[in-house]
Amino acid sequence: MKLSYFPGCTLKNHARNFEDSTLYAMERLGVEAVELDRWNCCGTVYSLSADDLMRRVAPIRNLIRAKEAGNRQLMTGCSMCYNTIKRANIHVRHSAPDLALMNAFMYEEPVDYAGDVDVVHVLEVVRDQIGFQALREKVVKPLAGLKVACYYGCLLVRPKEAAFDDAENPTVLEDLVEALGGEPVAFSHKTECCAAYQTVDKPHIVADKTYQIIGAAQSQGADTVLVSCPLCAFNLDQRQALTRQTYGDFRTLPVVYFTQLMAIALGGPESVLRLDLHHTPAAPLLSAKGLL
Amino acid sequence: MTVIVSKEKVHSRFTAKVQRLADQNLLACYQCGKCSAGCPLAAYMDIPPAQMIRLAQLGMEQELLDSEAIWLCVSCMTCNTRCPKGVRIAELFESMRQVKLRARQDHLRVADVAAEELQAIPPIALIGSMRKLTS
Ligand code: SF4
Ligand code: SF4
Ligand code: SF4
Ligand code: SF4
């Protein structure tokens, strides 16, 4: 299977652990993910103003790139890119006049966009196009005894029209962990927002959220929290430093990307995990479980 | 907070503008409070989401635009997903931020963020905050 791949800016620098493990896992599963040439930042947050077409141009331009490459699907790993590009796609598919206006604005592009590329998340590709059964058959190192709290945050499940699972009680990550041989735990905070970009000028709010979210995972005996968004990862992992300063009783917990667990279970080399990029080290836990 | 209601405010151009930018009908809200109950940032807001909507119905421009709440909402969409009337609260918050930002009244000053923080924070957070909090 071949599709276009949109990495987004954060996977290219702070979140190399996400990108390298994603590309490894996709290759092992027989997905040829071809990075777009000349991709541009999607703009991160989807504009919610009815009249703000300008901020939907960047995502649509990436869809034009996928079309140019001859692919009908654009895959992202970053949940935020997924959400932003998908919502722009939904908007133009429902508004012919807006699409025409945007095509006219981008008149130098060799092709017009016609809503004819699907935006898909890595998790969606694994669940719907590969299937958990086929994944299970490729596992060479099951995550035996690893207790995982699956954290969805906001962007995989909201808003409903952009989501590919239930908004209040999604299960795709738990199903993935099970297929990889691990043990998902019940997790009350799986869709509770981590306060997102407030981390820039109000990090104390993120420290509170991290305390609550990590604490909820620990109360269920989780060894690690699994994420799909580099901003969730930053807030739940890097911000553990501030959380520790703020709350005397806070205990740290490793945070990993779902693709890192996929890469491990599929027999990947340690180099694709980039465990050096974690704030709270994940290596001791993984070694103790016999996974490194 | 003392709120003085008047016909002029209720029919103000501010209320019309907010509704137009958000593409929402403010009067659809019947004040059940579910949006405030589930909002992950409500504890930090000076005015919680349901009250913001009520003040917007009444045309309380100054109270709304001076609030901290408009800058605290992170568009997590929990409220939108749960509102029994289908009101898109996040879009209404965005429209009020936009009224300020389109008049070049930024909330975030990147220069105030420490240099080592700017190094550590990933682009996903920096771009997100600049898009939401600056013009
Ligand atoms: S969400 Fe980010 S990291 Fe993902 S591309 Fe868009 S801006 Fe960049
Ligand atoms: S960063 Fe927070 S805002 Fe984003 S998806 Fe992750 S939880 Fe939501
Ligand atoms: S949930 Fe909807 S109806 Fe209830 S108070 Fe909030 S906006 Fe109004
Ligand atoms: S979108 Fe804004 S107002 Fe609504 S729940 Fe999230 S933070 Fe609160």
Side-chain angles (χ1 to χ4, degrees):
Chain A
M1 184 200 324
K2 190 174 156 211
L3 36 71
S4 283
Y5 163 63
F6 178 78
C9 20
T10 303
L11 268 69
K12 287 292 178 195
N13 52 74
H14 291 61
R16 287 312 295 235
N17 43 355
F18 194 5
E19 163 148 84
D20 293 0
S21 56
T22 299
L23 294 178
Y24 174 81
M26 287 298 105
E27 197 191 319
R28 287 281 292 115
L29 294 172
V31 177
E32 197 188 331
V34 188
E35 185 174 326
L36 293 181
D37 28 287
R38 297 197 300 129
W39 58 265
N40 51 260
C41 171
C42 66
T44 313
V45 287
Y46 182 66
S47 171
L48 297 176
S49 305
D51 63 353
D52 193 356
L53 282 190
M54 198 58 197
R55 287 183 172 181
R56 290 169 197 156
V57 167
I60 299 303
R61 231 188 253 285
N62 288 316
L63 292 169
I64 291 178
R65 294 280 97 79
K67 193 171 163 175
E68 261 182 331
N71 288 321
R72 291 295 309 268
Q73 296 192 88
L74 180 65
M75 180 183 77
T76 78
C78 173
S79 303
M80 213 155 195
C81 310
Y82 165 76
N83 195 281
T84 301
I85 304 174
K86 176 120 179 226
R87 282 157 86 182
N89 204 25
I90 293 171
H91 178 84
V92 299
R93 281 177 173 179
H94 286 95
S95 175
D98 284 358
L99 178 59
L101 201 59
M102 288 163 85
N103 275 323
F105 178 78
M106 294 185 278
Y107 66 91
E108 283 171 322
E109 294 292 354
V111 289
D112 273 359
Y113 186 60
D116 42 355
V117 175
D118 290 328
V119 182
V120 290
H121 190 267
V122 170
L123 273 170
E124 235 179 335
V125 172
V126 173
R127 183 189 65 187
D128 303 335
Q129 299 184 44
I130 296 163
F132 289 130
Q133 191 47 43
L135 173 64
R136 203 172 274 124
E137 285 159 16
K138 293 217 160 116
V139 169
V140 295
K141 201 191 270 181
L143 308 175
L146 188 70
K147 293 201 167 125
V148 184
C150 298
Y151 182 69
Y152 295 79
C154 315
L155 301 163
L156 289 181
V157 293
R158 292 187 292 267
K160 279 179 186 156
E161 63 271 19
F164 55 90
D165 205 343
D166 188 79
E168 300 288 352
N169 190 21
T171 56
V172 58
L173 284 171
E174 280 86 352
D175 295 342
L176 174 82
V177 169
E178 255 169 18
L180 300 175
E183 269 180 59
V185 301
F187 189 25
S188 54
H189 283 53
K190 62 168 137 176
T191 62
E192 181 83 9
C193 175
C194 66
Y197 54 81
Q198 296 291 359
T199 205
V200 175
D201 68 333
K202 297 184 181 68
H204 63 281
I205 296 182
V206 172
D208 292 351
K209 294 287 163 194
T210 297
Y211 180 74
Q212 293 155 12
I213 293 165
I214 299 283
Q218 286 166 329
S219 75
Q220 296 302 313
D223 298 313
T224 182
V225 171
L226 189 72
V227 297
S228 69
C229 161
L231 182 48
C232 306
F234 179 79
N235 284 347
L236 296 183
D237 184 15
Q238 268 76 14
R239 286 291 182 224
Q240 287 189 25
L242 182 63
T243 311
R244 212 169 38 232
Q245 282 170 29
T246 315
Y247 293 94
D249 62 340
F250 177 70
R251 287 176 297 127
T252 58
L253 192 77
V255 173
V256 295
Y257 288 105
F258 70 96
T259 50
Q260 288 176 299
L261 292 191
M262 285 177 73
I264 291 171
L266 293 169
E270 205 179 314
S271 58
V272 302
L273 305 178
R274 290 298 308 270
L275 294 171
D276 56 306
L277 295 174
H278 294 244
H279 170 74
T280 294
L285 165 71
L286 297 170
S287 296
K289 299 281 176 187
L291 296 173
L292 282 190
Chain B
M1 187 197 300
T2 310
V3 171
I4 299 166
V5 181
S6 69
K7 198 169 100 198
E8 289 67 37
K9 279 186 182 172
V10 174
H11 296 290
S12 71
R13 285 159 75 180
F14 169 75
T15 302
K17 188 176 190 174
V18 165
Q19 296 192 95
R20 190 178 65 246
L21 283 174
D23 192 20
Q24 293 297 300
N25 172 14
L26 280 164
L27 292 177
C29 165
Y30 57 14
Q31 287 291 294
C32 69
K34 209 169 176 182
C35 50
S36 298
C39 173
L41 275 309
Y44 305 91
M45 290 178 178
D46 44 358
I47 309 174
Q51 287 182 33
M52 292 289 286
I53 304 302
R54 185 69 183 130
L55 290 174
Q57 289 173 339
L58 298 175
M60 298 295 164
E61 178 170 2
Q62 227 44 56
E63 289 81 351
L64 290 163
L65 295 185
D66 291 347
S67 73
E68 257 307 292
I70 56 172
W71 307 111
L72 281 161
C73 164
V74 289
S75 311
C76 77
M77 303 279 149
T78 306
C79 51
N80 285 18
T81 309
R82 295 180 181 170
C83 173
K85 292 298 299 292
V87 176
R88 291 181 167 245
I89 300 102
E91 274 80 344
L92 288 158
F93 269 86
E94 177 110 332
S95 68
M96 292 184 250
R97 275 191 298 273
Q98 284 294 317
V99 170
K100 296 278 275 196
L101 295 177
R102 290 180 189 193
R104 294 283 179 267
Q105 293 172 300
D106 288 7
H107 180 69
L108 174 74
R109 275 177 40 96
V110 180
D112 293 344
V113 182
E116 61 273 19
E117 276 283 284
L118 286 179
Q119 277 289 319
I121 295 170
I124 192 168
L126 288 173
I127 302 167
S129 64
M130 286 192 254
R131 281 229 149 165
K132 288 287 192 179
L133 309 175
T134 68
S135 52

